[in-house]
Amino acid sequence: MQISFRLDELVAMVSPVEVRGAYAGTIGRIAALDDAEVGSLSFLGNSKYRSSVATSRASVILVPTDYVGEPGPDQCHLVVAQPSVALALVCARIEHSLWPRPTPGVHPSAVVAPDATISSSATVGPLCVIESGAHVGDRSHLQAQVFVGRNARVGGDCWLAPSSYVATECELGDRVRVHAGTVIGSDGFGYEFVDGQHAKVPQVGTVVVEADVEIGANCTIDRARFNRTVIGQGTKLDNQVQIGHNVVVGRHCILCGMVGVSGSTTIGDYAVIGGQAGLAGHLTVGKGAKIGGQAAVTSDIDPGIFVNGSPALPYQLERRLLVLNRRLPDLFKKVESLAAQIDELKKASDL
Amino acid sequence: MQISFRLDELVAMVSPVEVRGAYAGTIGRIAALDDAEVGSLSFLGNSKYRSSVATSRASVILVPTDYVGEPGPDQCHLVVAQPSVALALVCARIEHSLWPRPTPGVHPSAVVAPDATISSSATVGPLCVIESGAHVGDRSHLQAQVFVGRNARVGGDCWLAPSSYVATECELGDRVRVHAGTVIGSDGFGYEFVDGQHAKVPQVGTVVVEADVEIGANCTIDRARFNRTVIGQGTKLDNQVQIGHNVVVGRHCILCGMVGVSGSTTIGDYAVIGGQAGLAGHLTVGKGAKIGGQAAVTSDIDPGIFVNGSPALPYQLERRLLVLNRRLPDLFKKVESLAAQIDELKKASDL
Amino acid sequence: MQISFRLDELVAMVSPVEVRGAYAGTIGRIAALDDAEVGSLSFLGNSKYRSSVATSRASVILVPTDYVGEPGPDQCHLVVAQPSVALALVCARIEHSLWPRPTPGVHPSAVVAPDATISSSATVGPLCVIESGAHVGDRSHLQAQVFVGRNARVGGDCWLAPSSYVATECELGDRVRVHAGTVIGSDGFGYEFVDGQHAKVPQVGTVVVEADVEIGANCTIDRARFNRTVIGQGTKLDNQVQIGHNVVVGRHCILCGMVGVSGSTTIGDYAVIGGQAGLAGHLTVGKGAKIGGQAAVTSDIDPGIFVNGSPALPYQLERRLLVLNRRLPDLFKKVESLAAQIDELKKASDL
C-alpha cells in the first residue's frame, strides 16, 4: 500500500480536530502505536493502549479528546472525538486509490443477454454472465466472473466481487457489497421422505437483500421455499455465513464468521451473533439479542438477552455453571470426606 | 415469482384429491396459513398449525385426510394424503417456469477440449471449461462458469451451477445436482512431517458421486489419497459441508449445513447429521444413526443410535447430564449444608 | 486412475530399499492391505494393521525396517524406513500423470491487462483475469477462471485452481498451492457503530502468503485493516478455513478444516489446530501449541500446550472434568443417601 499524506491533508480528512504539536514531513504508512516509526500515522483506538502513546515513534497520532499528554519533538497529536472513526476516514481516502472508480461499460468478454438492462453508469467486468431480464443499477460494479441470473435485480452503487452469484429472480438493494465466492439464491434444503428416498421439495421463492448490506466471502444464502429469504437493511455478514431458506434477518445485525442459521428462523434488528454460532430452525431471536461464539441456539431468545453455550443459556447462568463445573473435583473430594465422617459418627453412636 | 393457476389446474396437479368447497378465482401466490390472502394457496403441513386453517384467508388450502372442518365461502379445501408433498408438486410446476429447459448445445464462449465428449442433448453454458477427455451426459445442464477437469465424467440429467468444479477423473452419476461454488475433487489434506516440514502426500484418488445426489453451495469434497471418496446414491448435502479424503457416505443420508467429516470415516445408509456437527477421522457411523447439531463425534456409532453433544454421547444420557449440570448450584449448596449438619453432630457426640 | 509399474520401477522410486521375495507381474492399483488383490501395491503405514500384512493379497507391500515376516509366493516386501513416505513417492509419480506439466503461455480466452507481467514459463489457463500491474512468476500455473487483482503478486512454481481469487496488492510466495474457490484478500470485517448504523471501516491492508503454503478449497483469508495478514512459510490450511484480518499465522502450522481465526490473533510456528475450532480475536497462541477439534479458544495459549473444549482448557483438566461430569448421576444419588444417613444420626442423637 503506497500512501503519502501531508499533515494539512490529514487534518482536512479528520476535521473537526485539535492539532497539538507539529510534523513537517509526509506520512507514508499507518501502523499500530508500538509498531509505528517516523513517518507513520497511528491512533489510540482502545484505551488499554493509552500508555503506548507516549512511547510511540509515530509522527502523527490520532488521540481522543480525553487524552492527556503532549506530543514529542517533531510529533503531532490530532485530537478527535473517535480516533478509530477518524482513522476510517483516512483509510477511506486510501481505499479510493486501491479501488479507483471503474470505467462504466460492459467488458467485451462478458456474456450479457440482449434483454438484460444494464445502467449506462454501471460497470460489468470481464467474463461476467448476465442472464435474460436481469437488471444492474446505476454505478454498480460487477468486478469480474460474476453471475446474475434470469430476472435478478442488482440495485444502484452495488459492488460484486469475482465468482459471486445472484440466482434467478433474487434482488439486491442499493449499496450492497458482496465479496468473492458468495452464493445468493441457491436452493433451500428441503425434501420429503417418500418410499425410502428423499424427494426434493422445489424451492421457488427468492432472496431479498436490502440496502446497505455487506456480505463476506464464500457465504451462502438460500432462496425461500415459496416466499422470500430476507437480509435486512444495513446488516453485515462476515465470511462463510450460511443462511437457510425462509430466514428473515432484521436490520443492522452483525453475523460473524461461519454462523449458521437454519430455515425459517427470524432474527430481530440489531442482533449480534458470534462466530461459528448455530441457530436451529423456526426460532425467533428478539431485537438486540446477543449470541456468543459457537453457541447453539435451540429455543427462542427474548429481545436484548445475551445467550452463550451449547445449548445456549442466559450468559450469567452459563458462566456460573462453567465455574461450578471446574470445581467438580473439589466437590467429589468433599462428598467422599463427608461420607467418611458419617461412618465415624455411626460407629460412635453404635448405629 | 409470477404464478397463475385455476382451481382445476391445481386439482390436476395434486390428484388424487377430494375437493371441499369452491373457489372461482385464480391462484397467484403461495403463502403460509397466517400470511395468506385472497388468491393465495396455502397448506397444513404441520399439525401444530391446525387451528390456523379455520382463520386463514387463503382461497385454496391443502389439508390432510384427517382434517375436520369446512371451508369458508368462496374458499376451497383440497384434501390430500400429504399436503406438503402435494405442495411440492405445485412448486415443481412453478420450478419449470423458473428453470425452463435450456437449449441443448455448447455456448460459443465455453472452452471445450476437442476430445471432450458432450452429449448432443446436453447444455454447456457460457464461460464453462471442459478439459481433455471429460464427458458430459445426456440432457445435463452446466449453467455457466462451470469447470470439468481432465477425464472427469458428468452423468445424464445432471445440473451444475455457476462456479461449481469437478476435478480431474472425478465422476458424477445421473441426476446429480451441484450448487454454486461447490468443489468436488480438491486434494485431500495429507502431509508427512519430514525434517521439520510438512511434506505433501500426493492425492491421486478420485471422488465418486452416485446417482440422485444433491450437493449444496460452497461444499468441498476431497479426492481420495489413492482410491475413492464416495457420496452414496440419493444422499443430500446442505451448504458448506466438508467431506475429507477417503470418506464413504452411504445412500440416502442427510448432511445438514456446515457438517465436517474427517478423512476415512464411513457413514452408513440413511444416517442424518445435524448442522455444524463434526466427525473425527477413521470412524464408522452405523446405518440410520442420527447425530445432533454441533455434535463432536469421536468414536464409532452403532446403527440407529442418536448421539448428541461435544463430545457426542447417546442422546438420553447427554440430556440427563445437561439437566444435572443445571442443578449444580443446588448440589453445591446442599453439600455445604450437609457438612454443617455433620459438624453439629460431631459436637453433640463429642467427636 | 490408470497406473502400471514394474517392480524394478517401484524399487527405483522408493530407494533405499531392501527387497524381500519377488513379483514378476505389473502393479496396476494401490490399495489398503485388506482391500488389496493380485496386482495391488499396499503398505503398512500404521502398526495397528501389522497383522494384516501376512493375510494381504497385495503383490507388493511397503513395510518398515522393524517388520518381521516373509512375503508369500509371488509376493514382494519392500522394506523402507517410512512406508507412508515411500508410498507418497509413488503417488507423486502418479500425480505427474494426473497433472502433466501444462504448456507455458496465456490462453487466448484469458483477460490479461497489458501492464501485467506474466513469466514466459508460466501458464495462464482459460478464462482467467489478470488485472493491471499484477505479476505471475516462473512456471506458475493458473488452471482456469482464476482472478488475480491489481498489483497482486504470484510467486514462482505456484498452482492456483479454478475460481480461486487473489485480491488487489496481495502476495503469494513461491510454491504456494491454492485450491478451488479460495478467496485471498477479501475485506476484513470491521465497522464503527455511528448513529445507529454500522459504518464500514475500509480495509486497505494486504495478505501475504509465504512460500510453500498450501491452502484448501473455499477458504477465506481477509486483508488487513491497514497492514498485513500473514500466513507463514510451510503452513497448511485444510478446506473452508476462515482467517480474519490482521491475523498472523506462523510457519509450518496445520489448520484443519473449518477452523476460524478471528482478527488480530497471532499463532506461533508449528501450531496444530483441529477441525471446526474457533479462536477469538487479539489472542496469542504459542509455538507448537495444540488446539483440539471444535475447541473455543478465548484466551492466550502458552507454547507447547494442548487445549481442548469450549471454552478451551488444558487437555488433562478438560478430560478430568468430562469424566466427573459423566459421574454426576452417582454424585447426586450419593448426596441424597448421605442426607438420609445424617437424618438418622440426628434422630439417634435426639438433635
Side-chain angles (χ1 to χ4, degrees), chain A residues 1 84 91-92 98 127 145 162 177 214 218 238-240 252 258 270 276 294 325 329 332 336 346 351, chain C residues 127 145 150 169 181 187 191-192 196 198 200 204 220 222 226 240-242 277-278 295-296 310 325 334 341:
Chain A
M1 169 175 75
S84 56
C91 290
L98 278 182
L127 305 172
Q145 301 158 320
R177 292 171 59 89
E214 183 159 17
N218 283 345
D238 197 355
N239 299 337
Q240 297 192 41
H252 307 298
M258 303 176 137
Y270 293 105
Q276 295 181 325
Q294 284 194 350
N325 241 281
F332 273 84
E336 285 311 314
K346 284 176 168 175
L351 274 179
Chain C
L127 304 171
Q145 301 156 320
R150 191 174 337 94
E169 303 214 331
D187 282 1
Y191 302 91
E192 292 286 338
H198 302 289
K200 182 173 178 68
V204 297
T220 50
D222 279 350
F226 51 72
Q240 297 191 43
V241 170
Q242 147 70 2
S310 177
N325 241 280
K334 176 149 197 172
Q341 295 172 51

Side-chain angles (χ1 to χ4, degrees), chain A residues 235-276:
Chain A
T235 284
K236 313 299 182 184
L237 275 54
D238 197 355
N239 299 337
Q240 297 192 41
V241 170
Q242 147 70 2
I243 304 291
H245 57 171
N246 300 72
V247 165
V248 176
V249 180
R251 303 167 67 233
H252 307 298
C253 296
I254 292 283
L255 277 63
C256 295
M258 303 176 137
V259 162
V261 183
S262 304
S264 301
T265 281
T266 297
I267 298 172
D269 299 345
Y270 293 105
V272 176
I273 307 182
Q276 295 181 325

Side-chain angles (χ1 to χ4, degrees), chain C residues 3-344:
Chain C
I3 66 171
S4 175
F5 295 123
R6 291 189 321 274
L7 181 57
D8 61 320
E9 294 175 302
L10 289 172
V11 167
M13 291 179 212
V14 302
S15 292
V17 55
E18 175 200 340
V19 182
R20 295 181 189 158
Y23 172 63
T26 62
I27 288 297
R29 179 167 175 254
I30 302 175
L33 288 164
D34 295 338
D35 183 33
E37 53 211 18
V38 172
S40 294
L41 168 69
S42 193
F43 73 115
L44 177 58
N46 181 328
S47 56
K48 82 175 178 181
Y49 299 119
R50 189 167 291 264
S51 63
S52 301
V53 175
T55 59
S56 178
R57 304 184 57 245
S59 297
V60 179
I61 306 177
L62 296 158
V63 296
T65 48
D66 65 354
Y67 178 77
V68 180
E70 291 307 308
D74 199 27
Q75 188 180 55
C76 179
H77 288 178
L78 299 182
V79 186
V80 294
Q82 293 170 278
S84 55
V85 172
L87 184 73
L89 295 172
V90 176
C91 290
R93 183 68 59 91
I94 297 168
E95 190 181 34
H96 292 155
S97 70
L98 279 182
W99 288 283
R101 290 275 345 133
T103 317
V106 176
H107 192 279
S109 66
V111 178
V112 178
D115 65 345
T117 57
I118 315 291
S119 163
S120 60
S121 59
T123 303
V124 175
L127 304 171
C128 292
V129 174
I130 316 283
E131 289 194 330
S132 170
H135 173 75
V136 177
D138 297 342
R139 295 169 305 281
S140 282
H141 181 198
L142 283 52
Q143 193 174 5
Q145 301 156 320
V146 173
F147 180 93
V148 180
R150 191 174 337 94
N151 302 327
R153 184 171 180 77
V154 175
D157 297 297
C158 292
W159 178 74
L160 278 68
S163 298
S164 57
Y165 167 83
V166 181
T168 182
E169 303 214 331
C170 296
E171 301 175 25
L172 308 187
D174 295 338
R175 298 172 302 281
V176 169
R177 292 170 59 89
V178 181
H179 289 276
T182 278
V183 173
I184 297 170
S186 41
D187 282 1
F189 193 62
Y191 302 91
E192 292 286 338
F193 196 64
V194 180
D195 303 333
Q197 305 193 16
H198 302 289
K200 182 173 178 68
V201 175
Q203 305 289 309
V204 297
T206 68
V207 176
V208 174
V209 177
E210 296 181 354
D212 301 306
V213 168
E214 183 159 17
I215 303 175
N218 283 346
C219 291
T220 50
I221 302 176
D222 279 350
R223 64 194 311 117
R225 182 178 180 181
F226 51 72
N227 38 1
R228 312 186 325 164
T229 302
V230 179
I231 309 296
Q233 183 181 350
T235 284
K236 314 298 182 184
L237 274 55
D238 197 356
N239 298 336
Q240 297 191 43
V241 170
Q242 147 70 2
I243 304 292
H245 56 173
N246 300 73
V247 165
V248 176
V249 180
R251 302 167 67 234
H252 307 298
C253 296
I254 293 283
L255 278 63
C256 294
M258 302 174 138
V259 162
V261 183
S262 303
S264 301
T265 282
T266 297
I267 298 172
D269 298 345
Y270 292 105
V272 176
I273 307 182
Q276 295 181 326
L279 284 68
H282 297 274
L283 301 181
T284 300
V285 173
K287 180 175 181 176
K290 287 188 173 34
I291 298 171
Q294 283 194 351
V297 178
T298 56
S299 55
D300 293 350
I301 301 178
D302 290 336
I305 299 297
F306 181 7
V307 300
N308 203 37
S310 177
L313 295 171
Y315 184 77
Q316 296 304 338
L317 171 57
E318 188 259 351
R319 288 293 115 174
R320 185 167 175 215
L321 295 182
L322 272 179
V323 169
L324 294 181
N325 241 280
R326 297 185 191 176
R327 285 176 47 202
L328 279 179
D330 302 337
L331 185 65
F332 274 85
K333 282 203 206 74
K334 176 149 197 172
V335 168
E336 285 311 314
S337 111
L338 293 185
Q341 295 172 51
I342 287 170
D343 290 343
E344 267 184 53

Side-chain angles (χ1 to χ4, degrees), chain A residues 129 131 145-149 163-167 181 183, chain B residues 126 128 141-147 159-165 178-182 217-218, chain C residues 145 163:
Chain A
V129 175
E131 289 194 330
Q145 301 158 320
V146 173
F147 180 93
V148 180
S163 297
S164 57
Y165 167 84
V166 182
V183 174
Chain B
C128 291
H141 181 198
L142 281 53
Q143 194 175 6
Q145 301 158 320
V146 174
F147 180 93
W159 178 75
L160 278 66
S163 298
S164 57
Y165 167 84
V178 181
H179 288 277
T182 279
N218 283 346
Chain C
Q145 301 156 320
S163 298

Side-chain angles (χ1 to χ4, degrees), chain A residues 169-231:
Chain A
E169 303 214 332
C170 296
E171 300 174 26
L172 308 187
D174 296 337
R175 299 173 301 281
V176 169
R177 292 171 59 89
V178 180
H179 288 276
T182 279
V183 174
I184 297 171
S186 41
D187 282 1
F189 193 64
Y191 302 91
E192 292 287 336
F193 195 65
V194 180
D195 303 334
Q197 304 194 16
H198 302 289
K200 182 174 177 68
V201 175
Q203 305 289 309
V204 297
T206 67
V207 176
V208 174
V209 177
E210 295 181 354
D212 302 305
V213 168
E214 183 159 17
I215 303 174
N218 283 345
C219 291
T220 51
I221 302 176
D222 279 350
R223 63 194 311 118
R225 181 178 180 182
F226 51 73
N227 40 357
R228 313 185 326 165
T229 303
V230 179
I231 309 296

